[in-house]
Amino acid sequence: MKSTAVRLLLAAGLLTVPALTPAALAQSAPAKSAAMSTMKVKKVNINTATLAQLQTIPGVGPKIAEEIVDYRPYNNLAKFRKELGKYLKPAQLDKMLPYITLK
C-alpha cells in the first residue's frame, strides 16, 4: 500500500528523490574524509611493542610482526623501510607509517 502511494506521489511530481550522481557523491565524500582525518590514531612503538601489539597495525600479521622484532632496534624510519622493504611493497609500508612510532 505504501509503495503504491509513493508511486502516485512520484508520478504526480509531489515527491522527489535526489539523484545519486557522481557530483552528488563527490560532495559528500570530503565530509567523510575530514571526519576521519580528525580521528586520533593509536600509534605503536615498534621498538618495544609485543607481537600482539604489532599485529594491531594495519597490514601487519604474525610473520611481519616477527620480522619487525628481529630487526630491532629502529633508530629511524629509514632503517624500518630498508629492513621491512625486503618483505613489503613501498605502498604497504606507507599505509603503516601513521600507526607507528619509534619513541
Side-chain angles (χ1 to χ4, degrees):
M1 182 133 168
K2 287 183 183 180
S3 62
T4 305
V6 171
R7 277 190 249 141
L8 289 172
L9 290 171
L10 284 170
L14 299 174
L15 180 67
T16 60
V17 178
L20 293 178
T21 63
L25 292 173
Q27 288 177 349
S28 65
K32 190 175 193 180
S33 298
M36 291 180 79
S37 67
T38 60
M39 292 174 54
K40 183 77 173 166
V41 173
K42 186 173 186 321
K43 294 191 176 222
V44 176
N45 183 331
I46 57 173
N47 284 317
T48 61
T50 64
L51 290 173
Q53 290 169 328
L54 289 169
Q55 290 179 55
T56 64
I57 301 169
V60 176
K63 292 188 185 264
I64 296 300
E66 288 179 26
E67 294 300 331
I68 292 172
V69 170
D70 288 346
Y71 287 106
R72 285 178 179 170
Y74 297 96
N75 299 325
N76 54 50
L77 290 176
K79 181 178 178 189
F80 175 77
R81 284 182 166 281
K82 177 184 174 193
E83 300 301 345
L84 275 288
K86 298 172 186 175
Y87 309 99
L88 300 170
K89 295 178 183 176
Q92 291 171 302
L93 288 168
D94 289 340
K95 288 181 183 177
M96 288 179 195
L97 291 181
Y99 301 94
I100 66 171
T101 186
L102 303 175
K103 300 178 192 178

